[in-house]
Amino acid sequence: ACGEDADPLDLVTAAGAETVDDGNARMSSTTEVTAGGTTVTVASEGLVDFEGKRAALTTELPGGRGEFEVVADRTTLYLRGPNLAALGVSTPWASVDLGRVDDLTGTDLEDLRSSGDEASSGLGLLSGAEEVEEVGEEELDGTETTRYRATVDLRRAVDEAGAVSDRAAFEAFVEQLGDEDIDVDVWLDGEDRARRLRYEQPVPDQEGATATVTLDFTDFGVDEQVEVPPAAEATDITDRVLQEAQAATA
């Protein structure tokens, strides 16, 4: 990274803010879930607008089940995928008002929250770094980077949370991670931006299962916009989500 004499801890804790500074970036996300000796990989890619608090991500569903699209526009989440018809949705998109489901917990809701805010939440972890070691230099897609391994205090990350676009979503994300400290690997480029993040998180309701999440950032400040679906093309399913969540906890 630039500033070779800079303290690794200072570089890593500031990296979240440096990464969002260009306004937007392309992101790819890979989650590898390992349970009982079997690994399932879920891959997403798209555009994250840090400044406008928007994101558009397409996920390849495991087992050849097609694609699932998520567009996050601040606290509104738009969903498009093969299962919407089963929910009685006849429009191309369904929408969920995350502000109305904020007080509810549960695997599906937490997944919904995190899917639209994964980039911001992952970067938000870096501000909680307490110990950092330099692993070495690595090339990612033709870009020279320096890899660091950080021990992150999750409570401190919540307190600092400079790069987070949605604090409530970040707090829900941190709650999912569970432990007070986690290890995060981060690859910084010559402008001290995060090109890659990697961390592990527990898998809800699956004892002994772990998920390794890798986020890659490229094309900072690209001349593109996140396209939000028109209101006429989306069916609001927030009431249904609330009813199902309340029924599950009754």
Side-chain angles (χ1 to χ4, degrees):
C2 75
E4 292 181 3
D5 297 331
D7 178 53
L9 178 60
D10 291 341
L11 288 172
V12 169
T13 54
E18 292 288 347
T19 305
V20 306
D21 197 43
D22 287 315
N24 69 7
R26 295 192 207 281
M27 185 190 82
S28 61
S29 163
T30 304
T31 303
E32 294 178 300
V33 180
T34 302
T38 302
T39 299
V40 176
T41 301
V42 180
S44 306
E45 61 179 19
L47 181 68
V48 180
D49 178 354
F50 300 112
E51 196 171 16
K53 298 183 180 179
R54 291 175 170 174
L57 299 170
T58 301
T59 301
E60 287 286 343
L61 296 173
R65 290 183 289 136
E67 292 183 342
F68 188 76
E69 294 175 70
V70 174
V71 174
D73 181 18
R74 296 180 183 267
T75 59
T76 302
L77 212 57
Y78 297 89
L79 314 167
R80 180 161 69 177
N83 298 324
L84 289 188
L87 296 174
V89 175
S90 58
T91 53
W93 296 85
S95 67
V96 178
D97 180 351
L98 293 180
R100 291 181 56 203
V101 301
D102 215 32
D103 295 332
L104 295 174
T105 57
T107 304
D108 291 344
L109 288 170
E110 285 165 0
D111 285 349
L112 276 179
R113 283 195 191 98
S114 63
S115 62
D117 212 53
E118 187 175 41
S120 175
S121 293
L123 292 169
L125 291 174
L126 299 177
S127 59
E130 288 195 317
E131 297 176 23
V132 176
E133 64 169 314
E134 183 176 324
V135 178
E137 295 184 0
E138 294 184 24
E139 188 175 302
L140 296 180
D141 295 323
T143 298
E144 293 293 335
T145 69
T146 303
R147 180 178 181 176
Y148 299 92
R149 181 160 295 135
T151 300
V152 170
D153 180 329
L154 294 175
R155 298 270 62 85
R156 182 180 173 190
V158 170
D159 290 341
E160 300 292 336
V164 170
S165 60
D166 183 337
R167 191 174 184 86
F170 183 58
E171 289 178 1
F173 165 73
V174 167
E175 202 171 304
Q176 260 187 309
L177 295 177
D179 297 327
E180 292 182 7
D181 292 339
I182 68 164
D183 290 330
V184 178
D185 280 22
V186 57
W187 288 252
L188 302 185
D189 66 12
E191 296 182 49
D192 301 331
R193 302 173 299 198
R195 287 285 180 157
R196 174 174 289 172
L197 276 174
R198 182 174 291 150
Y199 56 90
E200 284 193 3
Q201 66 183 50
V203 180
D205 303 323
Q206 290 193 46
E207 190 139 352
T210 60
T212 301
V213 179
T214 304
L215 307 179
D216 284 294
F217 298 97
T218 60
D219 299 319
F220 295 95
V222 68
D223 187 19
E224 281 186 39
Q225 303 288 327
V226 171
E227 293 188 19
V228 177
E233 293 186 10
T235 300
D236 189 336
I237 61 169
T238 308
D239 286 337
R240 178 163 184 152
V241 171
L242 284 166
Q243 288 166 2
E244 291 184 358
Q246 287 163 347
T249 56

